Structures are given as structure tokens and as C-alpha cells.
Amino acid sequence: MSLSDVLKEFEKIVGKDNVSTSEIDRIVYSFDASEVEGNAKAVIWVEHAWQVEKILKIANRKKIPLVLRGGGTSLAGGAVPINSIVVDISRLNRILEINKKEKYAVVEPGVLLDDLNYELKKYNLTFPVLPASHKVVTISGMISTNAAGIRAVKYGKTRDWVIEIKVLTGDGKVKTISGKEIDDFCGTEGTVGIIMQAKLRLTEPIEKTSISMFKFDEINPMIEKVIELKDKVIALEFIDKLAAEIEGLEKTNYLFAEFEGEQGDIKDEDKIKEIWRIRDGVYPSLAANGFPIIGDPVLPIEKMGIFLSELEKMGIPSFGHIGIGIIHPCFRQKDLERKEKVMRLAIELGGKLNGEHGVGLTKKEFVEKSYISKIRKLKKKYDQNNILNRGKII
């Protein structure tokens, strides 16, 4: 059966207007935030879970690869199609339940984090994992990459807040999963299953925070301050001097420490919002100024000084969640040799290359053999026809 014949079957499920092979749609959906180029064969927009189930059954029968896409915010090429059909789930964006008493919410996969937290304000609740892409990132994208965020020192990563998920496995089975089995799908980048619904643990928002901002000419004193503060704060973020200069700040290393309560030097809410606006804007500024390729290695604190010093020597700007060891070095498009050198250095120092963005396409050559083995086993268990997100991680 030809692709056009398969797409006609999909049209019967979602309607003709929700299936496209136009050049502009295929070009747009061949990229994500990583700027890696793929090849979208077609684009399908879905509005109901049953539509995804039917599409996946046909895809399995015809051996048609699919890539599920939410906000397209992947910085590792996780939503880039490799000769695949893209299924856009952003319209599956309903908040199904908010339980104030038991502090949980049930949501569809395309719900945006900021939209969820806007609704939760009415209940004096919040989903506290806060990546810099919080305005546009979907809940399913956060689960698929096990995203961290600015307040990861206190709140951990997305996995820590997932109670239960309903998934559609690659072979078309619907499963409701809790406990350890969630790890088969959280952080595996949509390669073995589609997250169709998530039950999330919530917490009450912190009433008052304050921030202290520190500046350091040298790396090692900054690392000493990180060690001193990391058990006392809810957020610990840094911007190195190269990134700071590009952002339009004084050329020095910045450390932002956010406290619960009024221990910090800066207590004015507007000034605190401005600091986080600056922090959220670092990567967009770097990308706009020629450094769009971003990494996310996680390093042990005792080796952090060596790593950051090497980045500075090489002229590679960086920033990140230093309180949990995640660093974001940024590279120019043609900087592949230096990127490889940095990735190898992180491994040599006892680090891992996937702190929160996923492996996707950009880090495949650096993946540990044990992780490759894990994904292959999960593929065999859940997606024997290799339908979902083909070509990622392995």
C-alpha cells in the first residue's frame, strides 16, 4: 500500500483537513528546537485519544514509522522525524481533574505547563518542576525527557511528581502504569510508548522567596559557594562569564541562589521576576548570537571546577542548574569537534551526557552501552515493529 493510500485511511479517522503533505507543513515539522533537520513524510493533527490508537494500529499493520510531537521544544532532536509521519498531539490539551484535597491533577499529554499552573493557582496548588521552556513545554514532553528545571534542588525532576500514566505502547496496547514501571516510559523520549494521560502529584506554592546574587571572577570560589549553599536553597543557577557577556550583563560568573523565605538579599518580587527572566533568556540569547547547539551533561560537584574551567579556556559559553550538577555548554553549528571534546571530557570526569534534554539525535554517538541495551530491551517489549520515534537514542 502506498503512502497516499495509508494517509487516506488516516483521513477517515481525523478528517481530511487534519492530514497534510503540503511542503510548508512537512518543512516546519521536520525540525524541533534543536535545529536538527529531519524528513516529515506527512503531518497529522489529532484531538482525541481514540484517534491516536487507531492511527497506531494502522501504522503497525503497514509498518509506518510515527513521531509524536507536542510543543516541539526538544533541544536534542527528540521530535525530529526520520522519514516518518508526525502526529501532533498538542490539541490533546484538556485538564481532566484537579483534586485539591489529595493534591493531584490528571491531564492529557498536550497540556502546557504554564496553562496547568495557571489553573492550579485557583486551588492554591502548583506543579513545581519548572524548565526554562515552561511557557511552551507540554507535560508529555517533560515526562518523555524527565525534565528538570530551575528549582530542581528542592523539587527534583519530573519523574518525582508522576503518580500514574496511561500509555499507548508501540504495539498498540493501552496500559495504565504506576510504580517502577513508569521508568520504562519516563525519560525514554517516546521511543517505546505514547503518554496519553498523566496523574501528577502537586504541592502548595511557596508563599515567599528571596534571592542572593553572587559574582565570581574565578570558577573554584563559585564551586565552593555552591557546595556551601546547595542544601539550604530551593534553586541554585549559574551563568558563566561568556554567556553573561552575550546576554548583555557584566562579564563575570553569576550564581543565583533562591531561598524559601527572606534569607536572600533580594526580596522585592519584581526584582526576583527580572532575575528569572534574565536566566530564562540565556539560551535564546546564545542561540540568536550563533550558539544554538546545547548540551546538558551532569557532573559530580567535585569535578565541576575542572569541567567549567575547560569550557572557559575553549571559549564555550555555559549556564545551568549547577545545584544538581547539570551544565548547558552551547556551541556554534560547525563546532562539532569541540562539542565532541566537551562530551568526552564530561564522561572522563565521571559525568553523564543526558541531564534533562534526552539523547534524541544529537548525542547518539556518546550513549553508554548499558543505556543502549536498556532501550533495545524496551523496544522488544513494547514496540517490536519499531514504529515509534525511529532512529532516536539507538
Side-chain angles (χ1 to χ4, degrees), residues 73-89:
T73 59
S74 172
L75 292 167
V80 172
I82 307 299
N83 296 318
S84 302
I85 293 174
V86 177
V87 180
D88 185 321
I89 60 169

Side-chain angles (χ1 to χ4, degrees), residues 75 129-132 145-153 156-158 160 222-223 226 230 236-240 255 279 294-301 303-304 307-308 311 317-330 343 346 351-358 363:
L75 292 167
V129 182
L130 197 66
T145 58
N146 193 17
I150 288 173
R151 288 179 170 174
V153 174
K157 301 175 74 172
T158 301
D160 300 309
M222 182 176 72
I223 301 301
V226 169
K230 67 185 186 72
L236 203 53
E237 298 287 304
F238 98 104
I239 306 172
D240 90 325
L255 184 66
R279 168 60 184 82
I294 185 171
D296 61 325
V298 54
L299 278 296
I301 189 65
K303 298 299 178 71
M304 189 70 71
F307 186 71
L308 293 179
L311 292 182
S318 64
F319 64 100
H321 315 307
I322 197 167
I324 59 169
I326 293 178
I327 305 299
H328 295 312
C330 293
M343 298 298 103
K352 294 184 178 181
L353 299 183
N354 175 21
E356 61 173 339
H357 293 164
K363 287 172 276 186

Side-chain angles (χ1 to χ4, degrees), residues 91-277:
R91 297 177 187 174
L92 290 170
N93 59 1
R94 289 171 279 266
I95 299 171
L96 302 175
E97 181 184 0
I98 297 173
N99 189 309
K100 182 175 182 179
K101 183 178 179 181
E102 297 185 29
K103 297 181 183 177
Y104 71 79
V106 180
V107 302
E108 289 187 324
V111 170
L112 300 180
L113 176 58
D114 269 13
D115 288 349
L116 174 61
N117 276 328
Y118 178 81
E119 290 300 316
L120 292 176
K121 280 183 180 179
K122 302 172 185 177
Y123 300 83
N124 193 36
L125 292 170
T126 188
F127 186 74
V129 182
L130 197 66
S133 56
H134 53 87
K135 293 181 180 179
V136 291
V137 70
T138 62
I139 295 299
S140 62
M142 292 179 67
I143 295 172
S144 294
T145 58
N146 193 17
I150 288 173
R151 288 179 170 174
V153 174
K154 177 177 176 65
Y155 293 116
K157 301 175 74 172
T158 301
R159 174 64 183 91
D160 300 309
W161 296 85
V162 178
I163 299 170
E164 182 180 277
I165 53 175
K166 181 182 287 186
V167 298
L168 183 61
T169 65
D171 53 16
K173 297 177 182 177
V174 178
K175 296 172 67 73
T176 299
I177 292 170
S178 60
K180 190 175 181 180
E181 197 175 1
I182 290 174
D183 296 331
D184 290 351
F185 301 92
C186 183
T188 53
E189 302 176 52
T191 57
V192 296
I194 304 166
I195 295 160
M196 300 305 301
Q197 196 176 107
K199 183 178 182 180
L200 307 171
R201 186 163 61 91
L202 309 173
T203 189
E204 294 175 353
I206 297 170
E207 291 186 7
K208 177 67 178 177
T209 68
S210 57
I211 288 180
S212 288
M213 181 175 68
F214 304 94
K215 299 178 182 180
F216 300 90
D217 290 330
E218 304 295 332
I219 296 293
N220 287 336
M222 182 176 72
I223 301 301
E224 291 174 5
K225 179 60 75 171
V226 169
I227 294 171
E228 175 191 333
L229 291 175
K230 67 185 186 72
D231 295 326
K232 303 174 183 177
V233 297
I234 58 176
L236 203 53
E237 298 287 304
F238 98 104
I239 306 172
D240 90 325
K241 60 177 63 176
L242 300 176
E245 185 178 32
I246 292 171
E247 177 77 354
L249 304 173
E250 178 186 347
K251 189 177 181 180
T252 190
N253 298 298
Y254 287 83
L255 184 66
F256 303 114
E258 185 179 29
F259 298 86
E260 184 172 357
E262 298 189 347
Q263 298 178 55
D265 299 323
I266 301 168
K267 300 173 177 62
D268 181 79
E269 289 186 9
D270 289 336
K271 290 182 179 179
I272 291 171
K273 287 179 182 178
E274 175 63 14
I275 287 173
W276 289 135
R277 186 197 64 77

Side-chain angles (χ1 to χ4, degrees), residues 1 3 42 62 97 106 116 186 191 225 276 291 312 344-345 378 390:
M1 182 179 284
L3 176 62
K62 305 299 182 183
E97 181 184 0
V106 180
L116 174 61
C186 183
T191 57
K225 179 60 75 171
W276 289 135
F291 294 89
E312 184 177 321
R344 299 294 180 197
L345 175 62
L378 292 175
R390 186 177 294 181

